[in-house]
């Protein structure tokens, strides 16, 4: 069953059957103001922090689903019939009304046709203004004159989510609303400069034109589905100091047959004066600035997408990589995970491991933000070499203003609260930062970054020494080298990447493999910078030896050891016998032989493959076992307990590509690919344009259901693995490596890649039907060096490949900035 389709020309996903089974969401805003909305305009808006500066209210996990939202009601003044442009909350019968939702890149269009009136509500946020624009058009296609009243509606939130949800004897009496000059102003009295405005290009006169009080607009014993104001055709001119506030403006319009009218509503940050300025800007000159702002937003995304465009025989991969997977990865970097319908803003700040991985995925399309995130993470590293698991970058910025005491001001915890001890360390967190830094430098050529100096989290406010980025990296590696258990394998500490596999603080194969991967990246960077990295090369050799000695169990790679020394993820285990993390990372890390890598990945295929992707482990745990961890207290087939956890799936694609098995890599890619499930929504339920955190596994009755869209590192990894390993285009420090691993049946593919301001139009031909190996490469007609990746520095760094690959790769030297280059590659 399908509910929509990919409009690749417009980069939109079009929902043409609006009654989708769960919310299908999208994000608007790319800087300070952001909003999360679903297919029926349910959702919320915030400024900078979804926890401390929520602008509009949201009742998550509620009934009915996903309310309230940012709605436009239309009322026919003759028949008194009314509807919403976004289907819900009025929810007209779909036999009478036609609804479409177009999710675009940082905008959403809600389109509706009902009783001869064609309407559209477009939501977006201009790049450089903290204002949400609702661009509304209504066209009369009924053949007779119509009199309509249009009502906007939003419900305001008290900025701080906790204040908004509890202790109403405080919150209800410290913010007020007023209406003047066509502008609603919300004053959060307890905050300095705590104002929001809501206005539009034109409203009616008098009290019928507005409501600032939610309960007056909605009316008693009613909901957003049948507001009193809309039903009666009149607002009541309500406002008050204290109470629950809304932004409702009414405009009555007459439309002749064929006539179209445009209305623009503005919901912004700031007071009435700011609202006046915004109205002047966006509503004058026939809305030319509104149009220009929308074009700028489109150009912003066009520019990002242009950095890498592919044309392969795989339609789904083309659509996902060219648009949706990059978009999802970027949104994760911008929003940093804590604003969605699942994480509704109760947490704030940066998760160390998630942010490091997110930053690694988009240095080509968002180098500034990647760099900014890396710097925030460097400052969130302790001098002991571990990262703060969850921290706010503001903690490590010099305070310029004296702190104002208010629930909505992001608090500054005491130093001891900010800097957690070893008991709260997740052993993998900071290791991710090293490859992220290396990848940023490979992409940008910003070698000086390695020498920049930053403080550590615990030396920041005590005049402690600043150290170079390179030294920060050393501290991370030294920490992992110190924190090993009796097998010489890294301790898992509170947890590793798998939040739920705590191993009672035992040892984690994943962390040791990650340690090796980080060492490979670090040594390659160090060598490139002319540094002596021999100490770390030795460290890598020790890690490799321990991994091969202690983790190879004869069939695949063991996942770890509990604190009591029990092996997990090994053939003797009844439950949790095979794990994805240890086997994929064995290969990715470059620490193991090709032969064992193949056996490990064969076990992944044999035990973990399902038609919806690879399970995280098998068999699922059925008995609570605190030595293993919280994973044993999650139902079978859900989350980390043998669900198809999306994030590690691309690790398997990359591992297979490193082993030269292109058909297997695509088999795994296809199983998880949301695009492939567009017509299977009765099973998938969630958006087919987004990766979800996990797909329910076969041990559960809801096998195949996708859960928690958008905010997951799966997209970044999917992008990274597909582009750098399957298509095999990956920058190194001074060349662009071309090392594809594709299905043998692909005759060719093309990639347009912008790297360090030069364009590379790459055509890869596969006349002999191989999966891996470059026979010949020409750059602008001249031959290019092709080497066995195992022997080439490029592959040892980017692919971490001690695993000998099944063929040579091309190394295209960096070309002049501004140049456009033709690269022709023949596989064979
Ligand atoms: C979601 C968390 O955000 C991420 O940090 C973790 O790695 C995965 N769950 C797996 O447990």
């Amino acid at each position: 069953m399908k509910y929509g389709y990919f409009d690749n020309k417009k980069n939109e996903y079009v929902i043409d059957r609006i009654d989708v089974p769960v919310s299908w969401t999208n994000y608007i805003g790319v800087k300070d103001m952001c909003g999360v909305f679903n297919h029926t305009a349910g959702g919320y808006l915030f400024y900078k922090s979804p926890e401390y500066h929520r602008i509009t209210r949201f009742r998550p996990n509620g009934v009915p689903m996903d309310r309230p939202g940012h709605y436009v009601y239309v009322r026919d003044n003759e028949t008194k019939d009314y509807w919403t442009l976004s289907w819900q909350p009025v929810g007209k019968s779909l036999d009478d009304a036609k609804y479409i939702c177009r999710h675009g890149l940082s905008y959403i269009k809600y389109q509706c046709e009902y009783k001869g009136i064609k309407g559209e509500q477009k939501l977006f946020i201009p790049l450089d203004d903290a204002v949400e624009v609702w661009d509304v058009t209504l066209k009369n296609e009924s053949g007779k004159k119509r009199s309509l009243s249009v009502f906007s509606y939003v419900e305001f939130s008290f900025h701080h989510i906790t204040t908004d949800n509890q202790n109403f004897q405080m919150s209800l009496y410290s913010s007020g609303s007023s209406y003047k000059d066509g502008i609603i102003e919300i004053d959060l009295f307890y905050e300095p400069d705590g104002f929001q405005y809501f206005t539009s290009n034109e409203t009616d006169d008098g009290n019928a034109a507005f409501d600032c009080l939610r309960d007056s607009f909605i009316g008693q014993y009613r909901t957003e589905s049948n507001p009193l104001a809309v039903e009666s055709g009149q607002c009541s001119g309500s406002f008050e100091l204290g109470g629950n506030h809304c932004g409702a403006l009414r405009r009555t319009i007459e439309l002749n047959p064929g006539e179209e009218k445009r209305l623009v509503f503005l919901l912004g940050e700031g007071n009435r004066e700011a609202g006046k300025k915004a109205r002047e800007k966006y509503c004058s000159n026939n809305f030319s600035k509104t149009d220009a702002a929308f074009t700028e937003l489109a150009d912003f995304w066009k520019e990002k997408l242009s950095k890498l465009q592919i044309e392969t025989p795989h339609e789904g991969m083309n659509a996902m990589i060219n648009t949706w997977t990059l978009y999802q990865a970027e949104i994760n970097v911008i929003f940093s995970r804590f604003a969605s319908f699942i994480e509704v803003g109760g947490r704030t700040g940066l998760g160390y491991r998630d942010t490091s991985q997110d930053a690694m995925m988009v240095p080509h399309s968002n180098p500034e933000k990647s760099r900014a995130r890396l710097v925030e993470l460097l400052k969130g590293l302790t001098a002991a070499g571990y990262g703060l698991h969850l921290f706010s970058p503001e903690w490590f910025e010099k305070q310029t203003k004296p702190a104002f005491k208010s629930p909505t001001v992001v608090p500054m915890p005491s130093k001891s609260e900010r800097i957690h001890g070893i008991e709260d360390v997740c052993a993998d967190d900071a290791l991710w930062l090293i490859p992220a830094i290396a990848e940023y430098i490979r992409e940008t050529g910003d070698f000086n970054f390695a020498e920049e100096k930053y403080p550590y989290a615990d030396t920041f406010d005590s005049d402690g020494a600043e150290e170079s980025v390179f030294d920060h990296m050393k501290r991370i590696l030294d920490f992992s080298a110190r924190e090993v258990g009796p097998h010489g394998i890294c301790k898992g500490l509170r947890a590793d990447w798998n939040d739920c596999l705590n191993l009672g603080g035992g040892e984690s194969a994943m962390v040791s493999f990650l340690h090796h991967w980080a060492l490979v990246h670090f040594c390659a960077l160090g060598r490139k910078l002319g540094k002596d990295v021999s100490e770390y090369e030795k460290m890598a050799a020790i890690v490799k030896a321990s991994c091969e000695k202690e983790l190879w169990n004869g069939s695949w790679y063991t996942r770890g050891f509990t604190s009591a020394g029990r092996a997990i993820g090994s053939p003797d285990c009844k439950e949790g016998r095979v794990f994805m993390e240890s086997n994929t990372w064995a290969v990715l890390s470059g620490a193991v032989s090709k032969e064992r890598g193949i056996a490990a990945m064969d076990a992944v295929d044999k035990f973990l493959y399902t038609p919806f992707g690879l399970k995280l482990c098998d068999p699922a745990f059925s008995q609570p076992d605190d030595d293993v961890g919280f994973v044993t207290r999650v139902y079978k087939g859900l989350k980390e307990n043998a669900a198809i956890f999306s994030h590690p799936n691309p690790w398997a694609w990359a591992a297979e590509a490193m082993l030269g098995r292109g058909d297997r890599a695509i088999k795994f890619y296809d199983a998880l690919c949301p695009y492939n499930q567009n017509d299977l929504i009765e099973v998938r339920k969630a958006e087919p344009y987004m990766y979800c955190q996990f797909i329910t596994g076969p041990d559960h009755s809801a096998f195949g259901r996708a859960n928690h869209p958008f905010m997951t590192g799966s997209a970044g990894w999917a992008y990274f693995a597909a582009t750098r390993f399957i298509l095999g285009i990956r920058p190194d420090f001074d060349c662009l490596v071309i090392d594809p691993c594709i299905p043998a049946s692909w005759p060719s593919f093309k990639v347009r890649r912008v790297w360090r301001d030069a364009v590379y139009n790459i055509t890869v031909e596969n006349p002999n039907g191989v999966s891996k190996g470059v026979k010949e490469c020409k750059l602008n007609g001249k031959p290019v060096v092709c080497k066995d990746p195992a022997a080439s520095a490029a592959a040892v760094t980017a692919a971490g490949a001690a695993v000998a690959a099944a063929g040579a790769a091309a190394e295209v030297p960096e070309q002049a900035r501004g140049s456009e280059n033709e690269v022709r590659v023949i596989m064979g």
Side-chain angles (χ1 to χ4, degrees):
M1 195 183 284
K2 67 174 175 181
Y3 288 77
Y5 61 92
F6 290 81
D7 184 339
N8 294 332
K9 284 221 173 72
K10 292 189 176 149
N11 290 328
E12 288 177 347
Y13 187 86
V14 185
I15 305 168
D16 56 2
R17 183 178 161 184
I18 204 73
D19 56 340
V20 299
V22 296
S23 271
W24 286 14
T25 47
N26 194 7
Y27 286 73
I28 61 169
V30 294
K31 283 190 185 150
D32 291 337
M33 181 183 267
C34 296
V36 193
F37 295 97
N38 76 352
H39 59 291
T40 63
Y44 60 93
L45 187 73
F46 63 91
Y47 180 70
K48 291 190 179 169
S49 162
E51 184 177 6
Y52 290 96
H53 204 116
R54 175 73 63 90
I55 296 173
T56 51
R57 188 169 283 156
F58 187 61
R59 286 181 272 280
N61 205 9
V63 175
M65 164 165 105
D66 309 329
R67 287 209 191 160
H70 293 198
Y71 303 130
V72 175
Y73 296 85
V74 183
R75 179 180 189 266
D76 185 317
N77 292 328
E78 198 183 321
T79 63
K80 303 187 176 48
D81 190 11
Y82 59 90
W83 62 100
T84 23
L85 294 184
S86 50
W87 186 42
Q88 295 296 328
V90 174
K92 281 288 174 202
S93 161
L94 295 178
D95 294 336
D96 304 328
K98 191 170 153 202
Y99 281 96
I100 288 180
C101 168
R102 290 179 170 266
H103 280 311
L105 304 185
S106 300
Y107 69 89
I108 311 172
K109 288 178 179 175
Y110 302 102
Q111 299 174 329
C112 152
E113 281 178 45
Y114 180 66
K115 298 268 162 82
I117 300 295
K118 203 170 175 176
E120 179 178 286
Q121 175 190 6
K122 179 167 83 182
L123 297 184
F124 75 98
I125 296 170
L127 289 181
D128 294 316
D129 267 336
V131 57
E132 184 194 47
V133 179
W134 307 10
D135 191 351
V136 174
T137 49
L138 290 164
K139 188 171 184 198
N140 179 2
E141 296 190 334
S142 68
K144 59 174 184 175
K145 190 168 177 174
R146 302 284 288 272
S147 164
L148 305 172
S149 290
V150 184
F151 298 80
S152 61
Y153 178 74
V154 288
E155 182 177 336
F156 284 100
S157 165
F158 302 118
H159 281 171
H160 184 209
I161 191 161
T162 311
T163 309
D164 201 51
N165 283 293
Q166 63 191 39
N167 199 5
F168 298 118
Q169 59 95 17
M170 287 294 293
S171 51
L172 281 176
Y173 309 111
S174 47
S175 77
S177 52
S178 61
Y179 175 84
K180 203 174 147 202
D181 299 332
I183 302 173
I184 289 174
E185 182 187 79
I186 308 299
D187 175 7
L188 293 116
F189 189 53
Y190 52 90
E191 260 185 64
D193 303 322
F195 293 101
Q196 309 296 156
Y197 65 82
F198 189 78
T199 186
S200 86
N201 60 313
E202 45 186 38
T203 38
D204 295 345
D205 292 332
N207 281 348
F210 71 92
D211 266 312
C212 304
L213 291 179
R214 176 193 70 184
D215 299 343
S216 304
F217 180 83
I218 300 282
Q220 281 183 332
Y221 302 106
R222 290 166 178 270
T223 71
E224 296 92 351
S225 301
N226 58 347
L228 180 64
V230 179
E231 203 168 283
S232 64
Q234 310 226 355
C235 291
S236 62
S238 62
F239 60 93
E240 202 168 275
L241 298 182
N244 280 303
H245 308 282
C246 73
L249 295 173
R250 187 192 80 166
R251 173 75 190 139
T252 307
I253 56 173
E254 307 263 300
L255 286 179
N256 288 316
E259 192 182 348
E260 185 174 274
K261 174 106 187 149
R262 189 168 172 193
L263 301 169
V264 167
F265 296 89
L266 302 168
L267 169 55
E269 192 55 24
N271 61 11
R272 183 165 285 117
E273 267 317 297
K276 259 187 210 159
K277 282 192 192 133
R279 187 172 58 191
E280 180 60 28
K281 177 170 177 183
Y282 289 104
C283 299
S284 54
N285 288 330
N286 209 13
F287 308 108
S288 61
K289 285 272 170 27
T290 293
D291 293 334
F294 189 68
T295 306
E296 270 168 38
L297 184 64
D299 290 346
F300 169 86
W301 280 109
K302 207 163 144 192
E303 168 72 10
K304 283 182 182 299
L305 301 184
S306 73
K307 304 289 184 198
L308 199 168
Q309 285 290 298
I310 69 169
E311 210 181 305
T312 75
H314 194 304
E315 192 188 276
M317 185 185 272
N318 296 346
M320 294 305 288
I321 294 296
N322 288 340
T323 306
W324 297 101
T325 308
L326 180 70
Y327 179 56
Q328 186 177 0
E330 281 264 8
I331 294 292
N332 274 270
V333 178
I334 298 167
F335 283 71
S336 186
R337 302 292 181 89
F338 297 141
S340 66
F341 281 17
I342 314 298
E343 283 269 14
V344 283
R347 290 202 287 168
T348 211
L350 303 178
Y352 209 98
R353 81 161 72 93
D354 292 350
T355 307
S356 305
Q357 291 171 81
D358 291 347
M360 187 167 91
M361 306 310 177
V362 296
H364 67 306
S365 59
N366 205 344
E368 299 81 17
K369 190 72 185 177
S370 296
R371 189 184 214 280
R373 287 290 190 224
L374 296 177
V375 170
E376 287 166 346
L377 290 159
L378 285 158
K379 292 181 180 173
L381 186 76
T382 61
Y386 63 84
L388 300 179
H389 188 61
L390 177 63
F391 71 100
S392 287
E394 295 81 16
W395 296 349
F396 308 115
E397 277 164 20
K398 299 265 181 262
Q399 300 299 307
T400 47
K401 286 196 264 178
F404 177 86
K405 289 259 181 277
S406 148
T408 55
V409 172
V410 181
M412 177 59 79
S414 67
K415 188 170 176 185
S416 61
E417 286 168 313
R418 276 179 274 157
I419 318 294
H420 64 68
I422 189 96
E423 64 288 352
D424 284 320
V425 174
C426 288
D428 65 315
D429 271 348
L431 285 172
W432 296 105
L433 184 60
I434 293 175
I437 291 170
E439 289 297 348
Y440 167 76
I441 295 176
R442 286 190 183 102
E443 181 66 45
T444 57
D446 182 5
F447 291 98
N448 293 334
F449 183 59
E451 306 297 352
E452 281 181 17
K453 292 198 167 166
Y454 295 101
Y456 292 98
D458 39 356
T459 62
F460 161 74
D461 53 4
S462 53
D463 285 336
E466 295 190 329
E467 276 188 355
S468 71
V469 170
F470 198 71
D471 286 337
H472 279 66
M473 294 163 96
K474 281 186 183 168
R475 290 201 185 224
I476 297 170
L477 295 166
D478 294 346
F479 175 83
S480 294
R482 263 194 328 266
E483 291 295 325
V484 292
H487 297 87
I489 298 302
C490 288
K491 288 183 190 163
L493 303 174
R494 194 178 103 191
D496 62 23
W497 169 88
N498 188 327
D499 283 331
C500 300
L501 191 79
N502 318 93
L503 300 174
E507 291 162 271
S508 159
M510 163 137 198
V511 180
S512 275
F513 284 132
L514 203 56
H515 189 200
H516 191 268
W517 197 54
L519 280 160
V520 171
H521 280 275
F522 173 82
C523 291
L525 175 63
R527 283 191 292 266
K528 175 70 201 165
L529 296 172
K531 311 244 185 209
D532 175 10
V533 289
S534 52
E535 196 188 322
Y536 292 90
E537 286 169 340
K538 277 187 214 136
M539 191 185 276
I542 294 169
V543 176
K544 181 175 153 68
S546 309
C547 288
E548 284 290 43
K549 177 164 173 274
E550 303 292 345
L551 300 175
W552 175 250
N553 57 40
S555 303
W556 56 79
Y557 284 94
T558 298
R559 179 62 175 85
F561 304 97
T562 65
S563 50
R566 176 159 51 114
I568 299 298
S570 84
D572 300 336
C573 302
K574 269 215 188 98
E575 298 183 339
R577 275 176 87 223
V578 185
F579 274 83
M580 185 115 89
E581 300 96 306
S582 45
N583 291 298
T584 54
W585 275 99
V587 178
L588 287 173
S589 68
V592 308
S593 70
K594 183 171 184 185
E595 191 192 5
R596 287 186 179 179
I598 284 181
M601 289 310 295
D602 283 349
V604 165
D605 186 38
K606 180 168 171 200
F607 296 104
L608 305 182
Y609 177 79
T610 81
F612 297 118
L614 298 163
K615 293 186 286 182
L616 194 54
C617 66
D618 182 79
F621 294 97
S622 62
Q623 299 300 319
D625 181 344
D626 293 335
D627 279 351
V628 177
F630 187 75
V631 65
T632 62
R633 292 177 181 270
V634 176
Y635 289 119
K636 288 163 87 171
L638 298 179
K639 295 272 289 177
E640 284 86 344
N641 192 9
I644 296 147
F645 214 89
S646 303
H647 188 140
N649 268 255
W651 300 342
W653 319 340
E656 289 294 356
M658 283 173 65
L659 295 169
R661 302 195 290 189
D663 286 295
R664 179 77 72 74
I666 288 289
K667 171 179 150 183
F668 292 170
Y669 178 89
D670 269 333
L672 191 76
C673 188
Y675 183 96
N676 291 348
Q677 292 164 24
N678 190 61
D679 300 359
L680 207 61
I681 299 303
E682 70 279 17
V683 178
R684 180 180 171 85
K685 309 278 187 212
E687 301 87 318
Y689 47 92
M690 284 297 130
Y691 284 98
C692 291
Q693 188 199 58
F694 75 95
I695 317 292
T696 306
D699 294 299
H700 190 278
S701 51
F703 178 38
R705 184 191 294 161
N707 310 271
H708 307 178
F710 249 115
M711 289 289 138
T712 153
S714 321
W717 266 104
Y719 195 78
F720 192 81
T723 59
R724 293 180 187 233
F725 289 87
I726 296 178
L727 302 180
I729 317 287
R730 48 177 185 263
D732 201 3
F733 295 116
D734 42 27
C735 66
L736 189 64
V737 178
I738 306 185
D739 179 23
C741 182
I742 56 174
S745 60
W746 282 19
S748 63
F749 69 92
K750 289 184 179 170
V751 174
R752 181 182 188 275
R753 177 67 152 91
V754 179
W755 178 53
R756 300 187 190 171
D757 290 335
V759 177
Y760 298 81
N761 294 315
I762 304 164
T763 305
V764 177
E765 284 164 29
N766 185 19
N768 300 325
V770 299
S771 275
K772 181 107 170 171
V774 169
K775 192 167 75 177
E776 185 189 306
C777 175
K778 285 192 174 150
L779 167 70
N780 300 324
K782 298 205 182 97
V784 162
V785 178
C786 299
K787 284 190 201 151
D788 181 342
S792 86
V796 172
T797 54
V803 176
E811 292 178 8
V812 177
E814 183 179 353
Q815 298 299 296
R817 294 188 184 253
S819 63
E820 177 132 8
N821 305 282
E822 300 305 313
V823 182
R824 191 156 173 266
V825 175
I826 313 277
M827 294 177 71

